[in-house]
């Protein structure tokens, strides 16, 4: 339980949370501490002033705010929460526990209300002391943040378990053991403090005094505070909004921004998220068990190293004593080397023990905290923090990945003393560095007939020389950057064939491979030159207007299909992976097999089936885009989502440029990715849909689609860009 204590302390005051509130970034803070770190922003930066001046207002219709998630910006670094707007960061200082906090720009105004309930200054800004994300408070102030009832309950249980004997709460110096508790005052008294502060006369005579143990029980049995809606303070949470991932009340569903969202029963989602957290904890528990066994192994290694060291030293001394005086002078030097090797092995193992112990302590603390959270019976409070805890558990489990639980040092001393030389050669006596020395592997041979390129990927194959007698344990494949730069490792393993994806189009790469075993690494093979498919690389800014360029003649097309390996498990493939649909009512993401980083690329998708007016999304994404939400919800996708009447552009859950005109069965959606101009444009039925959707797009992008079971689309690749775009690019 002690390892969980850091999870229960406020990052600002360093004490246990008091009335904790949940920030949009999923971190917690005391309500009083939150008020202390408020910063008042200039009037010109407030959302109201920006709205009044007409700046900073996007083109989308505010009536369609139901399309946006309440927590949509929580992962962007500078996000919004309800009526909050992004705010600039401010200079920070260190809190008592080492976390950076942001001081208030001016002292809080005098008020007769408690610090937590007093009104906050207009345009107040709060910055999370842990992740430093900033946001401006709306008219509700700190009351707009939900309270973390689950965390309060865990802290209560933790503090009760820590208190072996209940102490008086009114003693000024060393608290004495409490003898009674007043149920009305909810205070523990020792005898002197009871006589002084709670005399049995007047109104206090009617108070009921009970033994401390009974008082503790009555505290535990007191009714739990019920979480209320932040928008409707008199209403309790009754349902769970799936799109916004938060509990809501019935008024939110009838008249609020959740009226058109998908909702589910609070109890069902509570049980589902508890089950998900329990499953995640099972994996982490296995890792913790392996870590404990690994620590036992490391400690045994320390003992074995000690024993081997003693044995080795005794053998060495026996050999040296049998030689002449010249050998004795050499003995001291050899012993020093053995001790150095001994200390080196111990240092490596002890460092690994220390590192693993710290990581295990952190893992155990998180596990205990999660187990306490699972015991909580408040569904809405649990759901407010469950997603963040599940992500933390998975992240901690990933940190116990391959190599973490592998010893960095062996227990053996790979040294052998050679005492065969004659006495006149005794001064050359030295250790043989490897017990069973073996040569390095032979240089691999690249099999040119099996090496090839396709679009922006390259496949290479190699083998060991036919007469090689030294086995190789693995191979290291290296490629340069396509511009004659330094080589970098792209594959390490036992296979003799590798396909490298995500290369630049129209680029020349140099490849080489080497083999390795326990003894060392072989020389590099001969360098192989590879040429990827061509792309558009023309420059028009400096060309005279009379020299118009036909963009179609400069463009090479790419052929690709959808990638089952990276798609969500609910995606259903057919037609050689060119046609996709989904088995779920929720949106799921599927990517194309080919990634683009240079040139101009155009592909189309035809809508084969369109039922019940869904809103599929089309666009591009990074390889690590979130696969279980609509495309464009996170910051790793750029998309257009469209229904039967209109469309929007979306990135990082920001909806812009609502455009009339939708899709139906038989419609064609075109996607044009121009990485020379760094733009992304969309088309519906051969007509451009809205303005240029996104600009300044750089990096490696994969074609992407998100859809549910009401939609089926077919991919068409190897297409030229639309005619009017070709003409415009030629004249530009």
């Amino acid at each position: 339980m002690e390892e969980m204590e850091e999870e229960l302390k406020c990052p600002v005051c360093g004490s246990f949370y008091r009335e904790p509130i949940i920030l949009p970034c999923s971190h917690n803070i005391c309500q009083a501490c939150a008020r202390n770190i408020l910063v008042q922003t200039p009037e010109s930066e407030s959302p109201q002033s920006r709205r009044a001046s007409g700046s900073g207002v996007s083109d989308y219709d505010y009536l369609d705010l139901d399309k946006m998630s309440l927590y949509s910006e929580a992962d962007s670094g500078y996000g919004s929460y309800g009526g909050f707007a992004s705010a600039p960061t401010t200079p920070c200082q260190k809190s008592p526990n080492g976390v950076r906090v942001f001081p208030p720009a001016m002292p809080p105004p005098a008020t007769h209300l408690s610090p937590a309930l007093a009104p906050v200054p207009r345009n107040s800004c709060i910055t999370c002391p842990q992740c430093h994300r900033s946001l401006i408070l709306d008219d509700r102030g700190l009351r707009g943040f939900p309270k973390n009832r689950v965390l309060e309950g865990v802290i209560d249980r933790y503090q009760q378990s820590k208190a072996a004997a209940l102490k008086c709460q009114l003693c000024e110096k060393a608290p004495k053991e409490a003898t009674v508790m007043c149920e009305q005052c909810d205070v523990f008294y020792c005898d002197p403090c009871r006589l002084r502060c709670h005399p049995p006369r007047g109104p206090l005579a009617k108070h009921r005094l009970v033994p401390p143990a009974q008082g503790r029980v009555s505290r535990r049995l007191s009714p739990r505070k019920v979480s209320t809606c932040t928008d409707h303070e008199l209403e309790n949470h009754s349902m769970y909004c799936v799109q916004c991932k938060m509990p809501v009340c019935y008024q939110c569903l009838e008249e609020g921004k959740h009226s058109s969202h998908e909702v589910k029963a609070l109890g069902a989602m509570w049980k589902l998220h508890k089950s998900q957290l329990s499953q995640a904890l099972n994996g982490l528990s296995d890792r913790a068990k392996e870590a404990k066994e690994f620590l036992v192994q490391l400690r045994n290694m320390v003992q074995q190293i000690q024993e081997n060291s003693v044995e080795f030293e005794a053998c060495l001394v026996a050999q040296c004593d049998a030689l002449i005086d010249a050998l004795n002078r050499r003995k001291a030097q050899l012993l020093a080397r053995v001790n150095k090797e001994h200390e080196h092995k111990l240092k490596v193992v002890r460092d690994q023990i220390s590192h693993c112990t710290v990581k295990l302590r952190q893992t155990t603390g998180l596990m205990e905290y999660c187990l306490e959270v699972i015991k909580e019976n408040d569904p809405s409070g649990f759901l407010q923090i469950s997603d963040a805890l599940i992500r933390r558990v998975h992240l901690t489990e990933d940190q116990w990945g391959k190599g973490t639980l592998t010893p960095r040092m062996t227990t053996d001393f790979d040294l052998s003393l050679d005492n065969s030389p004659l006495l006149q050669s005794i001064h050359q006596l030295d250790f043989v560095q490897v017990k069973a020395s073996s040569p390095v592997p032979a240089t691999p041979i690249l099999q040119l007939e099996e090496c090839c390129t396709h679009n922006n990927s390259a496949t290479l194959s190699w083998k060991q020389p036919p007469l090689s007698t030294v086995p190789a344990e693995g191979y290291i494949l290296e490629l340069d950057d396509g511009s004659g730069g330094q080589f970098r490792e792209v594959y390490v393993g036992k296979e003799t064939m590798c396909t490298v994806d995500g290369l630049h189009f129209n680029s020349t790469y140099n490849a080489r491979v080497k083999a390795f075993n326990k003894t060392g690494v072989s020389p590099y093979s001969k360098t192989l030159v590879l040429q990827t498919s061509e792309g558009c690389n023309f420059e028009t800014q400096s060309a005279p207007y009379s020299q118009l360029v036909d963009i179609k003649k400069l463009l090479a097309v790419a052929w690709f299909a959808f990638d089952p390996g990276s798609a969500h498990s609910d995606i259903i493939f057919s037609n050689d992976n060119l046609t996709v649909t989904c088995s779920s009512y929720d949106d799921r993401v599927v990517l194309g097999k080919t990634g683009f980083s240079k040139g101009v690329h155009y592909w189309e998708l035809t809508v084969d089936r369109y039922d019940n007016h869904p809103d599929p999304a089309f666009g591009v994404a990074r390889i690590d885009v979130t696969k279980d939400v609509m495309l464009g919800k996170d910051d790793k996708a750029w998309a257009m989502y469209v229904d039967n009447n209109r469309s929007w552009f979306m990135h990082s859950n920001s909806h812009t440029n609502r455009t009339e005109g939708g899709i139906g069965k038989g419609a064609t959606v075109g996607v044009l990715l121009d990485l020379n101009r760094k733009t992304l444009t969309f088309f519906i039925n051969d007509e451009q849909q809205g303005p240029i959707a996104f600009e300044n797009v750089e990096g490696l992008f994969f074609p992407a689609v998100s859809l549910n079971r009401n939609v089926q689309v077919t991919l068409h690749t190897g297409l030229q860009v639309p005619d009017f775009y070709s003409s415009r690019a030629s004249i530009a």
Side-chain angles (χ1 to χ4, degrees):
M1 294 287 286
E2 293 180 358
E3 295 172 338
M4 183 180 62
E5 186 167 313
E6 288 302 319
E7 297 278 347
L8 310 180
K9 290 186 177 180
C10 174
V12 176
C13 63
S15 302
F16 287 108
Y17 287 104
R18 295 183 297 275
E19 298 184 353
I21 58 177
I22 306 175
L23 300 179
C25 56
S26 300
H27 292 127
N28 300 287
I29 189 174
C30 299
Q31 195 171 41
C33 294
R35 184 173 184 82
N36 290 338
I37 64 174
L38 290 177
V39 176
Q40 188 167 6
T41 60
E43 180 69 23
S44 61
E45 297 181 6
S46 67
Q48 293 84 357
S49 62
R50 286 198 299 266
R51 195 175 298 122
S53 63
S55 63
V57 180
S58 60
D59 297 337
Y60 61 79
D61 192 340
Y62 287 100
L63 295 177
D64 294 305
L65 287 177
D66 59 301
K67 297 278 186 179
M68 304 175 66
S69 167
L70 185 62
Y71 286 96
S72 61
E73 314 288 346
D75 292 329
S76 64
Y78 292 88
S80 63
Y81 178 76
F84 303 96
S86 62
T89 58
T90 56
C92 60
Q93 62 187 10
K94 290 280 186 155
S95 70
N97 62 346
V99 178
R100 294 191 298 169
V101 298
F102 294 75
M106 61 180 65
T111 177
H112 297 292
L113 298 175
S114 66
L117 298 178
V120 299
R122 187 178 183 184
N123 301 332
S124 292
C125 166
I126 186 171
T127 301
C128 175
Q130 291 182 285
C131 64
H132 314 304
R133 295 174 182 170
S134 303
L135 39 91
I136 296 177
L137 277 65
D138 62 3
D139 295 337
R140 296 176 296 172
L142 297 177
R143 292 181 291 104
F145 296 110
K147 295 183 179 180
N148 196 336
R149 304 296 188 192
V150 174
L151 181 56
E152 284 184 310
V154 173
I155 292 174
D156 289 343
R157 292 197 297 269
Y158 178 77
Q159 291 178 323
Q160 290 170 8
S161 66
K162 293 280 287 186
L166 296 171
K167 302 294 184 180
C168 176
Q169 296 177 268
L170 298 181
C171 289
E172 295 182 355
K173 295 182 179 180
K176 299 179 181 178
E177 186 172 347
T179 57
V180 295
M181 173 198 171
C182 177
E183 289 189 336
Q184 285 71 31
C185 301
D186 195 21
V187 176
F188 290 95
Y189 298 95
C190 64
D191 288 335
C193 292
R194 176 178 59 83
L195 295 175
R196 184 176 71 255
C197 304
H198 200 288
R201 59 181 179 272
L204 298 178
K206 298 181 180 180
H207 287 198
R208 182 168 179 251
L209 303 179
V210 297
Q214 182 179 347
R216 173 189 285 178
V217 173
S218 64
R219 275 187 171 183
R220 292 179 180 175
L221 298 179
S222 60
R224 178 71 63 187
K225 297 178 181 178
V226 179
S227 297
T228 57
C229 180
T230 55
D231 294 327
H232 311 93
E233 298 180 356
L234 299 180
E235 299 296 334
N236 296 334
H237 292 141
S238 58
M239 298 295 288
Y240 181 80
C241 178
V242 176
Q243 181 174 344
C244 300
K245 296 185 177 180
M246 63 178 297
V248 295
C249 68
Y250 80 94
Q251 287 194 14
C252 292
L253 303 178
E254 291 183 353
E255 57 192 39
K257 51 182 167 288
H258 306 278
S259 58
S260 62
H261 293 181
E262 180 185 358
V263 295
K264 293 186 178 180
L266 195 65
M269 294 303 295
W270 172 44
K271 293 180 180 178
L272 175 62
H273 281 234
K274 272 198 173 186
S275 174
Q276 292 176 350
L277 181 56
S278 298
Q279 293 175 0
L281 278 178
N282 288 336
L284 186 59
S285 176
D286 293 339
R287 290 294 185 181
K289 182 179 179 181
E290 294 176 5
K292 291 179 181 179
E293 295 174 353
F294 179 60
L295 282 174
V296 173
Q297 179 185 354
L298 292 178
R299 294 189 177 99
N300 292 337
M301 287 179 63
V302 172
Q303 179 64 27
Q304 192 172 357
I305 290 174
Q306 296 281 12
E307 295 173 356
N308 290 349
S309 176
V310 172
E311 180 182 354
F312 193 85
E313 289 180 11
C315 180
L316 179 61
V317 170
Q319 289 178 331
C320 291
D321 288 342
L323 299 176
I324 60 176
D325 293 341
L327 183 60
N328 287 327
R329 290 191 296 268
R330 185 66 171 165
K331 178 179 64 176
Q333 300 176 12
L334 299 177
L335 282 174
R337 291 192 56 185
V338 173
N339 289 330
K340 183 177 180 180
E341 181 75 8
H342 168 214
E343 294 299 329
H344 172 67
K345 287 179 178 289
L346 288 182
K347 182 179 183 302
V348 172
V349 176
R350 285 170 175 163
D351 288 347
Q352 193 172 8
I353 289 175
S354 175
H355 175 74
C356 192
T357 301
V358 172
K359 186 177 291 185
L360 178 61
R361 185 184 303 114
Q362 295 172 350
T363 300
T364 305
L366 177 60
M367 290 173 56
E368 292 178 353
Y369 174 62
C370 291
L371 291 174
E372 290 298 324
V373 170
I374 291 178
K375 297 177 183 178
E376 190 58 42
N377 294 323
D378 179 5
S380 61
F382 178 86
L383 292 173
Q384 288 171 341
I385 65 175
S386 59
D387 284 325
L389 281 179
I390 293 171
R391 289 195 300 272
R392 286 188 60 191
V393 168
H394 284 304
L395 179 61
T396 304
E397 182 182 2
D398 292 339
Q399 292 176 352
W400 289 103
K402 293 183 178 179
T404 306
L405 303 181
T406 302
R408 301 174 184 169
M409 182 60 65
T410 63
T411 60
D412 295 331
F413 281 72
D414 297 331
L415 303 170
S416 178
L417 185 64
D418 185 5
N419 59 355
S420 62
L422 300 174
L423 294 178
Q424 62 268 27
S425 303
I426 202 166
H427 65 280
Q428 298 177 350
L429 187 63
D430 201 352
F431 288 112
V432 177
Q433 296 296 324
V434 182
K435 284 184 175 180
S437 179
S438 59
V440 298
T443 303
I445 299 175
L446 286 167
Q447 302 188 82
L448 302 182
E449 65 277 5
E450 297 185 14
C451 298
C452 62
T453 61
H454 177 71
N455 286 338
N456 62 337
S457 65
T459 300
L460 296 102
S461 177
W462 58 89
K463 64 180 181 179
Q464 281 289 94
L467 301 179
S468 175
T469 58
V470 180
E473 295 184 1
Y475 301 91
I476 301 174
L477 176 64
E478 297 182 356
L479 261 69
D480 66 1
D481 59 1
S483 302
Q486 293 183 347
F487 282 89
R488 65 189 190 279
E489 293 183 2
V490 295
Y491 171 76
V492 177
K494 297 181 179 180
E495 301 297 330
T496 58
M497 178 176 288
C498 175
T499 298
V500 184
D501 296 318
L503 302 177
H504 295 305
F505 280 88
N506 194 27
S507 299
T508 301
Y509 287 88
N510 295 306
R512 63 188 185 184
V513 64
K514 59 184 178 180
F516 65 87
N517 60 12
K518 291 182 178 179
T519 304
V521 181
S522 74
Y524 285 105
S525 67
K526 292 183 179 181
T527 300
L528 177 65
V529 179
L530 300 166
Q531 176 69 40
T532 56
S533 300
E534 293 183 355
C536 181
N537 237 351
F538 63 92
E539 297 287 344
T540 60
Q541 294 181 354
S542 60
Y545 288 104
S546 60
Q547 299 177 1
L548 298 182
V549 181
D550 186 353
I551 189 174
K552 289 189 175 182
K553 293 181 180 179
L554 293 174
L555 286 176
V557 297
W559 301 85
F560 58 92
F562 289 116
D563 182 16
S566 62
H568 193 279
S569 58
D570 292 340
I571 296 295
I572 301 174
F573 295 85
S574 59
N575 188 24
D576 293 330
N577 297 333
L578 293 174
T579 301
V580 291
T581 184
C582 181
S583 62
S584 172
Y585 285 106
D586 298 321
D587 290 306
R588 300 293 187 248
V589 173
V590 57
L591 302 180
K593 277 192 172 182
T594 301
F596 304 110
S597 59
K598 286 184 179 180
V600 183
H601 307 279
Y602 178 74
W603 61 93
E604 292 181 345
L605 300 107
T606 56
V607 181
D608 304 328
R609 179 166 50 81
Y610 187 80
D611 303 326
N612 302 322
H613 308 300
D615 45 3
F618 309 88
V620 296
R622 307 290 190 194
I623 188 65
D624 55 345
V625 65
T626 304
K627 304 293 197 311
D628 56 357
V629 297
M630 178 185 288
L631 196 67
K633 283 285 187 180
D634 61 6
D635 61 350
K636 294 180 175 59
W638 293 256
M640 174 188 73
Y641 70 95
V642 56
D643 56 22
N644 60 319
N645 292 320
R646 53 192 177 179
S647 66
W648 294 262
F649 302 147
M650 182 164 61
H651 171 64
S652 293
N653 208 24
S654 175
H655 310 243
T656 59
N657 297 97
R658 186 184 71 176
T659 304
E660 296 301 323
I663 62 172
K665 182 178 179 180
T668 300
V669 177
V671 182
L672 176 61
L673 177 63
D674 188 344
L675 291 170
N676 295 329
R677 300 177 180 273
K678 303 177 182 179
T679 61
L680 181 63
T681 310
F682 295 96
F683 302 83
I684 295 181
N685 296 328
D686 297 327
E687 296 291 334
Q688 183 171 337
Q689 184 73 356
I692 294 177
F694 301 100
E695 297 179 334
N696 300 318
V697 290
E698 295 182 88
L700 178 63
F701 300 94
F702 290 82
V705 176
S706 69
L707 72 175
N708 62 17
R709 66 184 302 168
N710 292 317
V711 184
Q712 177 176 301
V713 299
T714 296
L715 175 66
H716 304 277
T717 62
L719 305 177
Q720 299 289 353
V721 300
D723 291 335
F724 85 90
Y725 186 83
S726 304
S727 303
R728 186 176 65 186
S730 301
I731 299 175

